[in-house]
Amino acid sequence: MKKAQSPVVIVDLRTWPWTGIGRVTRGIFQCARELEAEFEIQYVINDDTVVPDGLPNLVRFRSLPFGRGEQMEFRRLFARLGDRRMILHSLNFNVPLLLPKRVRQIAHFYDVLIDTGEFRTPLHRLAYNAYVWSLRRHRATILAQSDYTAQQIAKHHPFHEVIVCPHGYRNYMEPREADLKAAYGLERPYFLYIGLNKPRKNLDGLLAAYGRALQANPAIAYDLVVCGPIFDRTSMGFDIRAAVDADPLLAGRVHLLGFIPEEHLYAIYRQASLYVVPSHLESGYSYPALEALTTGTPVLLNKVDMYNYASESGGVFFFDGSRSTGSESLADVLAKMLACSNIDRIDPAQCDVLHRFSWERVRDTMKALYGRP
């Protein structure tokens, strides 16, 4: 039974379409649905949010996260709820800069971005610092996705309360096979990356490492396949299409596929020989790496922040992201993997990494936080 004076929980789902956080948003939504019998929960959505039709507890915003009009829409929502106590659960740190005293805040914090070089303009830095200031001022409870994230937060942005709450994982992929040769011209075995093109994602480092290995041995059996919104960040200094076009050695060996349809996602992962996360920073969590493991494809990760993926059952390899060159660097480990004639696949049912990321634990954390007096 809901208590008469219990707070209204507002869960902001507008990050639904985002590449990585979008998968997490779906999981948080499912956890919240399971808690509706105990709490009064409303969901903030926009036109990009895909939730079941007919839900009565939806609040429609026109704005995007961090978008124009967002602050005003939050103010109108709080005013409509009057004197009710509220809990605002934000899936990112795009939070109202000014909160009424009756609003308690829970926010997920993924990446401490001040050292990544992604905020190139004074306006970007000002906005980032404003959101961090707001979280501190309102004594928000911060959910950090890994021990690494919590350590970085403590170093750069000490907040009122930080709880380590690794995201869960739920496989949304349909196990469909596809003719990737016909669809994308993929004829050889390949290493795979799926994700964004931001400085911390290190796609320039991945391309350079692959190019050096190919130059040393043009007979390498593996191509490189890169998927996702990879053409959207050229203003940040790396135009991956131009880089591939400028190097004749990469012609026919590096495949820039961009977005791929959901019905091909399982096959793209499944037919890869290795999934690579070349990032300088992932803050200890990579949803695509978990998707790859689900299909039986081994993964290569940065041990600086992804050490919680270490596996006793095999199939998880590491490079040392603190080294730009030399032994154990991305270029060194990738070259060694490219020289392997065969890379053993894994059995997802026996993969201990997949069992660590439980939405049930996330739901229990949400329940405890929503139920605080």
Side-chain angles (χ1 to χ4, degrees), residues 175-336:
R176 302 173 182 172
E177 292 300 338
D179 185 346
L180 301 183
K181 179 179 178 181
Y184 304 108
L186 303 182
E187 299 181 352
R188 285 181 288 266
Y190 59 87
F191 287 9
L192 175 67
Y193 168 85
I194 298 178
L196 299 172
N197 180 7
K198 292 183 176 181
R200 63 192 161 97
K201 298 296 185 178
N202 194 27
L203 291 193
D204 51 343
L206 174 62
L207 196 65
Y210 181 76
R212 283 196 293 271
L214 196 60
Q215 186 174 33
N217 179 16
I220 281 174
Y222 303 98
D223 286 355
L224 178 64
V225 174
V226 185
C227 307
I230 54 176
F231 308 121
D232 297 347
R233 302 283 175 167
T234 56
S235 63
M236 289 189 171
F238 182 59
D239 187 331
I240 190 170
R241 194 197 302 275
V244 171
D245 291 344
D247 189 344
L249 190 64
L250 302 180
R253 302 304 306 266
V254 177
H255 306 265
L256 306 178
L257 304 187
F259 273 111
I260 58 172
E262 284 282 335
E263 59 265 26
H264 289 172
L265 189 60
Y266 177 88
I268 284 281
Y269 280 122
R270 174 72 178 166
Q271 296 183 35
S273 299
L274 182 73
Y275 182 80
V276 184
V277 181
S279 305
H280 298 304
L281 174 67
E282 284 291 339
S283 290
Y285 184 84
S286 169
Y287 208 100
L290 296 174
E291 290 183 323
L293 291 170
T294 297
T295 69
T297 297
V299 297
L300 174 62
L301 311 170
N302 184 350
K303 73 177 183 181
V304 169
D305 65 342
M306 302 286 286
Y307 49 81
N308 59 330
Y309 277 66
S311 173
E312 296 181 357
S313 55
V316 179
F317 304 93
F318 291 97
F319 67 92
D320 187 345
S322 67
R323 301 183 180 187
S324 57
T325 60
S327 177
E328 296 189 33
S329 66
L330 173 62
D332 176 60
V333 177
L334 190 70
K336 292 175 181 176

Side-chain angles (χ1 to χ4, degrees), residues 49-248:
T49 311
V50 183
V51 295
D53 293 334
L55 288 182
N57 49 342
L58 302 180
V59 179
R60 185 169 293 277
F61 278 18
R62 298 179 64 183
S63 62
L64 299 173
F66 301 105
R68 182 180 301 174
E70 176 183 57
Q71 298 295 321
M72 184 60 68
E73 288 187 300
F74 273 119
R75 288 179 62 183
R76 285 198 293 264
L77 172 61
F78 298 149
R80 180 173 63 80
L81 290 171
D83 294 332
R84 291 289 304 274
R85 291 187 301 128
M86 290 166 259
I87 298 171
L88 176 62
H89 185 171
S90 301
L91 272 292
N92 208 329
F93 61 90
N94 57 297
V95 294
L97 296 179
L98 296 174
L99 283 179
K101 291 184 178 180
R102 64 187 183 278
V103 181
R104 182 157 55 89
Q105 195 167 43
I106 301 168
H108 294 254
F109 207 97
Y110 302 95
D111 306 307
V112 178
L113 297 175
I114 60 174
D115 294 329
T116 65
E118 291 184 12
F119 293 155
R120 297 295 180 88
T121 70
L123 182 60
H124 283 131
R125 290 191 289 273
L126 178 64
Y128 180 78
N129 289 332
Y131 284 114
V132 169
W133 168 85
S134 177
L135 291 169
R136 283 184 181 147
R137 182 177 186 271
H138 299 113
R139 299 174 67 83
T141 295
I142 304 299
L143 298 182
Q145 63 185 338
S146 69
D147 291 331
Y148 177 87
T149 306
Q151 292 165 7
Q152 291 300 103
I153 288 172
K155 178 180 178 182
H156 296 286
H157 304 311
F159 290 121
H160 164 66
E161 180 181 34
V162 178
I163 297 173
V164 177
C165 181
H167 301 316
Y169 172 71
R170 184 177 289 117
N171 178 25
Y172 294 99
M173 295 182 293
E174 295 281 346
R176 302 173 182 172
E177 292 300 338
D179 185 346
L180 301 183
K181 179 179 178 181
Y184 304 108
L186 303 182
E187 299 181 352
R188 285 181 288 266
Y190 59 87
F191 287 9
L192 175 67
Y193 168 85
I194 298 178
L196 299 172
N197 180 7
K198 292 183 176 181
R200 63 192 161 97
K201 298 296 185 178
N202 194 27
L203 291 193
D204 51 343
L206 174 62
L207 196 65
Y210 181 76
R212 283 196 293 271
L214 196 60
Q215 186 174 33
N217 179 16
I220 281 174
Y222 303 98
D223 286 355
L224 178 64
V225 174
V226 185
C227 307
I230 54 176
F231 308 121
D232 297 347
R233 302 283 175 167
T234 56
S235 63
M236 289 189 171
F238 182 59
D239 187 331
I240 190 170
R241 194 197 302 275
V244 171
D245 291 344
D247 189 344

